[in-house]
Amino acid sequence: MWTRWNPDGSTAIVTGASSGVGYQFCRLVTSKGCRVVAVARRADKLEQLLHDCPKGSVRLVPGDITLGQTCDSAIQTVQDWSGDQLDLLVNNAGIGAIGPFIDASPDRLRRIMEVNFFAATEWTRRCLPSLLRGQNPVVCHVGSVLGHCGVPNKSEYCASKFALHGWHDAICAELRGTVLRSTLVSPSTTRSEFFDSLIDSDPAQRSVSVGSWPPEKVARAMFHAIVRRRREVVCSVGGKALVWADRIFPGITHRILSRTSK
Ligand SMILES: NC(=O)c1ccc[n+]([C@@H]2O[C@H](COP(=O)([O-])OP(=O)(O)OC[C@H]3O[C@@H](n4cnc5c(N)ncnc54)[C@H](OP(=O)(O)O)[C@@H]3O)[C@@H](O)[C@H]2O)c1
């Protein structure tokens, strides 16, 4: 039976809730009656949510998502709040870097994989028992169009988002026959703090993109994908065009991409 996720009365965990897409998503779902456990490292930024969301709708768990204790605290907060029923997990936190692979330290790839891929898989693993007790539950992963099409100078980021995409595809098949659905949302360039917090990157390096969305718009697209329990959504016309061009004309697409990166 096709059933929708209903924000009203639901409980959610959102990682990367201190800025950008995660912050706006928390504002949106709490305005529709959802209770949110908001996770990120910057406690001062998270506290802003207490002013921007309806009273009592947000609980904060400041911490690094790559540490097991942060995930334990988030799950404990859900248990205290809703008796161990989790209706939504949003694996949104992410980091990136710009610059050629050959110039980067091995640490750059490991750090990006830890946050963008391993943390998402571990949070899903640990939240599964609570999610399986949820009401039409959803685990939503924020990927990227760069998880569909590899571009130069962002090899580590592309690798992390491709890994997330492949893992999500496999998990979707494994979850058939359970109440839980996995949703992958793939934004293209978003006007958030993302490019201010690039790791191990030359500040002179720039990101080339066609059009960009504000984080509020990405949050709305995510919300609609989650409510409909969609398997996959690629945001923006430019994002869709890149994904399809890469599938249909991979040679031409890669030639154009390598020219624009010079
Ligand atoms: N911006 C883009 O152009 C773009 C395009 C496609 C996809 N995306 C994806 O969209 C998602 C949201 O990014 P955004 O654009 O909203 O960027 P953002 O404003 O930089 O938000 C990233 C969030 O992740 C959190 N975070 C990073 N590392 C963390 C860690 N180790 N532990 C806990 N939290 C951590 C940050 O919080 P703290 O620093 O407070 O920890 C912040 O709340 C990411 O997965 C990103 O890859 C972004």
Side-chain angles (χ1 to χ4, degrees):
M1 193 175 62
W2 189 73
T3 41
R4 287 179 172 235
W5 179 79
N6 181 2
D8 195 17
S10 286
T11 307
I13 294 178
V14 179
T15 70
S18 61
S19 63
V21 175
Y23 191 92
Q24 296 303 332
F25 184 78
C26 290
R27 291 186 61 194
L28 181 61
V29 283
T30 53
S31 75
K32 295 180 186 298
C34 185
R35 298 180 293 195
V36 169
V37 176
V39 186
R41 290 165 302 180
R42 290 170 297 173
D44 56 325
K45 291 266 190 178
L46 280 180
E47 272 162 24
Q48 280 299 317
L49 278 173
L50 301 175
H51 303 290
D52 276 359
C53 298
K55 202 164 185 282
S57 63
V58 184
R59 291 194 183 177
L60 310 180
V61 175
D64 187 326
I65 57 158
T66 64
L67 303 175
Q69 70 211 45
T70 308
C71 188
D72 292 342
S73 302
I75 292 171
Q76 187 60 54
T77 307
V78 170
Q79 284 171 354
D80 296 345
W81 212 358
S82 68
D84 202 15
Q85 175 181 320
L86 180 63
D87 308 294
L88 174 67
L89 167 65
V90 182
N91 286 313
N92 164 73
I95 56 170
I98 302 183
F101 178 74
I102 199 159
D103 296 339
S105 70
D107 185 51
R108 188 162 90 176
L109 176 59
R110 287 200 184 273
R111 282 172 65 196
I112 290 178
M113 290 299 287
E114 284 294 344
V115 176
N116 296 4
F117 178 63
F118 289 118
T121 59
E122 278 315 304
W123 279 66
T124 304
R125 189 198 308 281
R126 285 165 177 244
C127 289
L128 265 177
S130 311
L131 282 167
L132 290 169
R133 281 189 279 274
Q135 188 70 32
N136 299 327
V138 176
V139 53
C140 173
H141 315 289
V142 181
S144 167
V145 293
L146 303 189
H148 298 258
C149 171
V151 301
N153 292 331
K154 293 179 184 167
S155 62
E156 297 91 351
Y157 184 75
C158 291
S160 70
K161 296 295 185 179
F162 264 78
L164 193 62
H165 183 178
W167 176 77
H168 154 80
D169 278 352
I171 282 293
C172 281
E174 288 187 24
L175 291 175
R176 278 182 85 92
T178 76
V179 288
L180 180 61
R181 293 289 170 272
S182 183
T183 295
L184 178 71
V185 176
S186 300
S188 47
T189 307
T190 308
R191 297 193 291 275
S192 65
E193 295 178 16
F194 186 81
F195 295 101
D196 302 330
S197 33
L198 298 172
I199 60 159
D200 193 9
S201 301
D202 176 355
Q205 295 276 355
R206 63 196 178 93
S207 178
V208 179
S209 69
V210 184
S212 64
W213 276 16
E216 293 86 339
K217 196 169 173 183
V218 178
R220 280 198 299 275
M222 252 165 82
F223 177 74
H224 292 302
I226 290 166
V227 167
R228 290 172 179 77
R229 309 216 301 161
R230 296 269 304 271
R231 180 189 167 112
E232 193 176 316
V233 169
V234 176
C235 302
S236 91
V237 175
K240 288 185 178 79
L242 181 62
V243 171
W244 282 105
D246 186 56
R247 278 183 200 164
I248 301 168
F249 311 110
I252 299 172
T253 308
H254 282 243
R255 270 203 298 284
I256 294 169
L257 285 171
S258 57
R259 268 193 219 131
T260 56
S261 74
K262 287 192 176 116

